[in-house]
Each structure stands twice: as C-alpha cells, then as structure tokens.
Amino acid sequence: TNKAVVKDFLIIVDQIKQEKDFTKKFTIYEEGVALEIILGKTTKEQVIQIMKKYSSEIIKLEQSSQIMIYEDISLTILFDENSLVTEMRFGRLYKGLTNKGIKVGDYLKKGFEIYGKPDIFTLKGAIWEKIALFSSDGKFVTSIRIREKKD
C-alpha cells in the first residue's frame, strides 16, 4: 500500500503543478502534501527549489538546520535527521485552504464540523490524526499543521 500512497501523492503534486488558479496551488492536503511538498519524501534541497515559485524569500541556512521559515507566506517547514520534510505549519499570511475548506482565520468550530471530534483538544487548538488547527484565542484558527504520521 506504500507504493499506492506515493502514487496518490504524486497525482496530487501533479494537480498542483497543473493548477491555473495560483491561490489553489496553496491548498493544504491533510494526507501530507502542500505546495508540491510531500511529507516524508521531499528533501531540504527540493524544498529550496520548489519554494522559489511560492515565496520571494531567499533561504540560506546551514546544513544542520532542521527548520525553514518563509515569513512572507507564513510557512514553517521542519525536517528530520535525514533532511526530509516531517511537518509543515501554515500561519496568518498563508493564502491556502485545506482540501476540506478550512483556512487560517476561520472559527475553530468549523474544524469540528468538518473533521469531527478531535483526538486531542485544548484551549489552544485541536489535533486530529492527519491535521491540527491551533488558536491563540480559543475561537479562531491562527495556524494549521500537517505532520508526517510515524508508523
């Protein structure tokens, strides 16, 4: 099934590349894809190349760095010890919606309506299996996170 999952990811990436509406290229797929980046598959070097299309920031960092921040689009990318993407966090300036229609600024309650009861819920947000919505005030989504699922 792992090959099928990778094939599905590559189909999503291809759809992003073909998308004519630039804002739709920013869609966050809770399965683990956003901006042509695939959790657990895309390398740091590939991220640098891909992000030239979406951010005006030039990221220069030492090889040991496990985090990249693109402040102009409110995107933070975390890497594992093998320089593969493990997590993506989308903040206030991020233009995209999840593929189920949640965006930063929506009521947190909308997340419950769409994703159901979260696995973890606190005053600061809600975490489901594939996606997390965070809130600084307990009402509005202030950031969205997708994270590689470790088996």
Side-chain angles (χ1 to χ4, degrees), residues 44 47-49 51-52 55-62 65 67-72 75 77 79:
K44 196 181 293 181
V47 167
I48 290 168
Q49 293 308 310
M51 289 308 297
K52 288 177 181 177
S55 170
S56 58
E57 291 189 24
I58 307 299
I59 303 291
K60 290 189 176 82
L61 41 87
E62 58 282 3
S65 180
I67 189 165
M68 278 186 192
I69 299 170
Y70 292 90
E71 289 183 7
D72 63 336
L75 173 65
I77 303 172
F79 298 89

Side-chain angles (χ1 to χ4, degrees), residues 35-47:
L35 299 173
E36 303 175 39
I37 297 169
I38 302 171
L39 297 179
K41 304 275 181 264
T42 305
T43 66
K44 196 181 293 181
E45 286 70 29
Q46 289 169 323
V47 167

